Amino acid sequence: GEAADYICITRDARGEVSVDFYHCKGAGGPANGGRVGDVYEVAGQLVKCAYYCDVPTLLQHMADRMNPARHCAPSSFVIGTLRDVEELLNATLATKLSFCVVGVQPGIRRTMVDQRLSDLMSFCIDYARGGGTAKAYWLVSE
């Protein structure tokens, strides 16, 4: 029920704001394999994440996830507050706002990505981009 494992919101010197969604999953076996199962869960999260590439939807979701009355382990901020995020995102012009979706899969070695994994990973990236993200990619082991 979460938008991502980690959400990073940054503003650069030009006033451009990026909302980056990181979806993480450890290896389902020995590290550095090429298991399709290790990709499926994160792949599904990448596809679903396109829904949150909308400021009102994201802000409502963040407020809900931080509500201790609704969640026994509510989400929290490492830096900043929900109010800071609301002010920043609501004040940012759409032309200065971008979304990025990242699948983090350290249990997969790049050299082990075969056609099957490549097709699945590519589909998710394409779907996320079509859903409104400016960028989408995977981080895997070398």
Side-chain angles (χ1 to χ4, degrees), residues 30-71:
N32 297 324
R35 293 170 298 277
V36 173
D38 282 347
V39 175
Y40 274 115
E41 184 176 344
V42 174
Q45 291 171 340
L46 290 175
V47 168
K48 290 189 294 185
C49 189
Y51 174 75
Y52 298 105
C53 295
D54 171 73
V55 170
T57 302
L58 178 60
L59 291 175
Q60 177 58 47
H61 178 72
M62 292 174 88
D64 177 66
R65 290 293 300 177
M66 296 180 72
N67 184 344
R70 290 190 36 91
H71 300 280

Side-chain angles (χ1 to χ4, degrees), residues 109-136:
R109 183 184 305 149
R110 182 178 47 91
T111 57
M112 298 297 288
V113 175
D114 60 12
Q115 187 65 43
R116 245 178 353 159
L117 286 179
S118 178
D119 287 348
L120 176 59
M121 295 167 90
S122 296
F123 169 80
C124 296
I125 296 303
D126 186 55
Y127 188 90
R129 287 180 179 164
T133 63
K135 295 183 285 185

Side-chain angles (χ1 to χ4, degrees), residues 2-57:
E2 60 193 19
D5 292 302
Y6 298 96
I7 301 172
C8 180
I9 302 171
T10 55
R11 179 178 51 200
D12 68 15
R14 297 180 308 243
E16 295 179 0
V17 174
S18 179
V19 179
D20 302 332
F21 299 94
Y22 291 89
H23 300 278
C24 310
K25 172 118 173 65
N32 297 324
R35 293 170 298 277
V36 173
D38 282 347
V39 175
Y40 274 115
E41 184 176 344
V42 174
Q45 291 171 340
L46 290 175
V47 168
K48 290 189 294 185
C49 189
Y51 174 75
Y52 298 105
C53 295
D54 171 73
V55 170
T57 302

